[in-house]
Amino acid sequence: MNLREVPRRFADLLPGRSDWTAARRSPGRDLVAGLIVAVVALPLALAFGVSSGLGAQAGLVTAIVAGALAAVFGGSNLQVSGPTGAMTVVLVPIVHAYGSGGVLMVGLMAGLVLLALAALRAGRFAQFLPTSVVEGFTAGIAVVIALQQVPAALGVTAGDGEKVWQVAAGAVARFAAHPTWAAPLMALAVAASMLAGARLRPGVPFSLLGVAVATLGAQVFSLDVARIGALPAGLPAPSLGFLDPGMVGPLLPSALAVAALAALESLLCATVADGMSVGERHDPDRELFGQGIANLAAPLLGGVPATAAIARTAVNVRAGARSRLAALTHAAVLAGIVLAAGSLVGRIPLAALAGVLLATTVRMVEVGSLRALARATRGDAVVLVLTFSVTVVFDLITAVAVGLALAVVLALRAVARTSRLDQVPLDAGDHSAEEQRLLSEHIVAYRFDGPLFFAAAHRFLLELSEVADVRVVILRMSRITALDATGAQILGDAIARMERRGITVLISGVKPGHGQVLAALGIADHLYRDGLVFPDTPSAIAHARGLLHHHGLLPATEETDRVRTAGQVQSTAGQR
């Protein structure tokens, strides 16, 4: 991309007046939807902030700042952004390795990467991610988030451990040694009320009700459970104190991982929002731009990296939102809660927030979708299980990379199986039985169907190498859909092998683009030079018969001459 085009591309991504046309039509519905989303988002923002390791305030700051900026600059009218469980899974190892300052640095760097992706118009590539990979790591994320909640749900401190399942196992061991039941019963009660309430009364925010009842019960009965702690009134002042230029190199892999996750989750969420609405279509590049702006700003105020949240977006759509005003209202309501009720929020038990996230993980997993994918094809099932397993055992980014790699290999294998090399009969017309016998013994035509690339080319080489008892082989290339360097090299090897056995090779129907590949690699140069490459198959057949006649292998008859002459002038697309 020309550097002079960068300012113009960013200008194209900036918001315009048309973004708010829908808000002027039904502002009341958007305000109500924003209020409902804020009620749902409050416990989730607190819980994800605590789970990330930076604290409840970081989760609230992220929901407010990222929620507002992504609503203004993003590419979807209905999307709601903030801290998410998937991002928390990636952030926990960064907190352990580099502390809170490392997380803020990663968020800032990820914002810059997202802006670069937006300028490069990379948003359209998200549609190529296989469903089996998406479902696999979504289910894996759910398990990882649930494991992260085990210490808080059991009321014990989180121990050290490189992997989340190690930390969870240590928490279970400590609880078994000295069990106390207030925290686990509270977590189970909140999770159960959310799951049961979602079935009975889907419109009621049982997450907030459950947390409120748990907090009230802990106060009234003086339960010995850990609390969030006091929150400062208002948002912190912007600061760049966390910047450390020397950490850019070590943190770059983590920043790329966070940016990739933010882009992927946001674009998938926008697609879901489009499907739940009528007539909505998001702009993927603007969505990346909006997430980039949000992730640049959130760290300045102490927030964690953000992305679009599918659960909050779904609530927004179901609540009747029609424009960006709803997501902006959600951010404003959360800001009001921070200003007016920070002391009340600080009394919320951590076990109650753990219960919220445990219920959230259960609702993240679509069992029916997983079952359908597992039954679809063996390849989908393998990719699904492998992506899920790697997410839980190792980490999310490794899982996506492994799942994608396996999906690509299986896709190439499937495409390679669709390509064929068929021996096709030569139209003998009214030739005598003797001439038909000679034609079948000495001239063979092969037609390529489908792509000739690295995944399929070696099979073609083996098939062509088995050609026997012929004098002339015609390779019909008009139906090749794709030709890469490996396929061209293998084709050249096959031609060379047949020529060493005394077989004359003719080529017909080479497409211009495929001819460029052959010419660039020097494949079949001698065939072009010797006039053995023909625009169509009839011309190649006529030449082959002439060669056999010249060497005394095909008797010259009036009928043979007539067919040869006709073949030299006939050139139709259907016979190429």
Side-chain angles (χ1 to χ4, degrees):
M1 181 178 65
N2 192 323
L3 292 178
R4 295 179 181 178
E5 297 180 4
V6 173
R8 180 175 59 81
R9 290 204 173 188
F10 277 121
D12 294 340
L13 297 170
L14 292 174
R17 293 182 61 182
S18 60
D19 293 341
W20 300 96
T21 302
R24 292 192 289 269
R25 287 198 294 265
S26 54
R29 298 183 66 172
D30 288 322
L31 292 174
V32 172
L35 178 61
I36 293 173
V37 175
V39 170
V40 173
L42 176 61
L44 291 174
L46 295 170
F48 286 134
V50 172
S51 185
S52 70
L54 267 69
Q57 184 187 20
L60 277 176
V61 167
T62 304
I64 295 168
V65 176
L69 291 176
V72 174
F73 292 96
S76 171
N77 289 327
L78 305 176
Q79 198 140 265
V80 180
S81 297
T84 63
M87 191 62 76
T88 299
V89 171
V90 178
L91 295 180
V92 169
I94 300 174
V95 174
H96 288 164
Y98 302 103
S100 59
V103 172
L104 300 180
M105 275 278 291
V106 164
L108 193 70
M109 294 166 64
L112 294 174
V113 173
L114 288 168
L115 291 180
L117 292 175
L120 293 171
R121 300 288 194 263
R124 62 187 182 276
F125 295 113
Q127 62 184 315
F128 299 118
L129 193 67
T131 302
S132 52
V133 174
V134 175
E135 293 289 347
F137 80 67
T138 300
I141 288 170
V143 172
V144 172
I145 294 173
L147 292 174
Q148 287 176 341
Q149 307 318 306
V150 170
L154 295 178
V156 299
T157 57
D160 294 329
E162 185 177 349
K163 301 300 180 183
V164 65
W165 50 269
Q166 295 174 330
V167 176
V172 171
R174 287 191 295 277
F175 176 80
H178 304 284
T180 56
W181 295 101
L185 289 176
M186 181 180 292
L188 288 175
V190 171
S193 67
M194 284 181 62
L195 294 175
R199 287 181 173 272
L200 299 175
R201 300 292 296 273
V204 178
F206 281 95
S207 58
L208 186 62
L209 289 177
V211 169
V213 171
T215 304
L216 182 62
Q219 290 291 117
V220 171
F221 297 105
S222 300
L223 299 179
D224 184 18
V225 290
R227 315 294 180 98
I228 287 178
L231 294 178
L235 297 176
S239 172
L240 286 173
F242 59 86
L243 279 182
D244 183 357
M247 293 300 294
V248 171
L251 290 174
L252 183 59
S254 297
L256 294 175
V258 167
L261 178 58
L264 176 62
E265 191 169 11
S266 296
L267 294 175
L268 289 175
C269 181
T271 303
V272 171
D274 289 347
M276 294 178 64
S277 58
V278 178
E280 285 291 337
R281 288 295 178 268
H282 72 282
D283 183 333
D285 298 315
R286 272 199 64 186
E287 184 57 35
L288 293 179
F289 181 75
Q291 295 299 330
I293 295 292
N295 281 284
L296 277 178
L300 303 182
L301 298 172
V304 297
T307 181
I310 292 179
R312 275 157 274 180
T313 298
V315 171
N316 192 39
V317 176
R318 289 171 184 150
R322 291 293 182 268
S323 75
R324 302 163 186 266
L325 181 60
L328 202 58
T329 301
H330 133 273
V333 171
L334 290 178
I337 292 173
V338 170
L339 292 172
S343 59
L344 293 177
V345 171
R347 299 175 186 175
I348 295 175
L350 295 179
L353 296 181
V356 171
L357 292 187
L358 287 173
T360 302
T361 60
V362 174
R363 295 165 65 176
M364 283 176 65
V365 180
E366 296 286 346
V367 178
S369 178
L370 295 178
R371 202 174 283 149
L373 276 174
R375 293 173 178 172
T377 66
R378 185 178 299 176
D380 284 323
V382 171
V383 172
L384 176 71
V385 172
L386 183 63
T387 306
F388 169 81
S389 302
V390 176
T391 300
V392 175
V393 177
F394 296 100
D395 59 77
L396 179 64
I397 303 303
T398 302
V400 173
V402 171
L404 272 176
L406 180 58
V408 169
V409 170
L410 293 175
L412 290 176
R413 178 169 171 263
V415 172
R417 284 183 168 182
T418 65
S419 54
R420 304 192 313 275
L421 180 66
D422 296 330
Q423 182 178 343
V424 295
L426 299 175
D427 185 8
D430 296 328
H431 289 306
S432 66
E434 178 66 16
E435 286 181 272
Q436 181 64 41
R437 184 182 63 80
L438 290 173
L439 283 172
S440 64
E441 288 180 357
H442 298 299
I443 302 175
V444 176
Y446 284 95
R447 181 180 64 212
F448 295 94
D449 279 319
L452 181 59
F453 68 132
F454 67 92
H458 290 280
R459 179 162 56 86
F460 288 148
L461 174 62
L462 293 176
E463 292 185 34
L464 287 173
S465 299
E466 294 174 356
V467 174
D469 299 326
V470 297
R471 295 286 184 174
V472 181
V473 169
I474 301 172
L475 301 180
R476 300 174 59 180
M477 300 182 61
S478 63
R479 295 192 184 183
I480 293 179
T481 57
L483 178 68
D484 70 351
T486 303
Q489 292 282 8
I490 295 296
L491 181 65
D493 290 343
I495 292 172
R497 291 190 184 194
M498 288 187 288
E499 288 178 335
R500 282 197 294 269
R501 292 164 50 201
I503 299 173
T504 300
V505 178
L506 311 181
I507 294 178
S508 70
V510 180
K511 296 179 180 178
H514 301 160
Q516 292 175 5
V517 176
L518 297 176
L521 297 173
I523 305 298
D525 280 352
H526 65 290
L527 299 184
Y528 280 95
R529 186 172 56 251
D530 297 339
L532 301 179
V533 178
F534 300 89
D536 50 68
T537 302
S539 300
I541 293 173
H543 187 83
R545 289 171 175 158
L547 288 176
L548 294 181
H549 171 65
H550 178 72
H551 290 89
L553 295 172
L554 184 63
T557 67
E558 181 180 351
E559 181 66 21
T560 303
D561 293 336
R562 184 183 66 78
V563 173
R564 180 170 66 246
T565 303
Q568 290 172 340
V569 299
Q570 184 180 11
S571 175
T572 62
Q575 291 177 302
R576 290 187 177 184

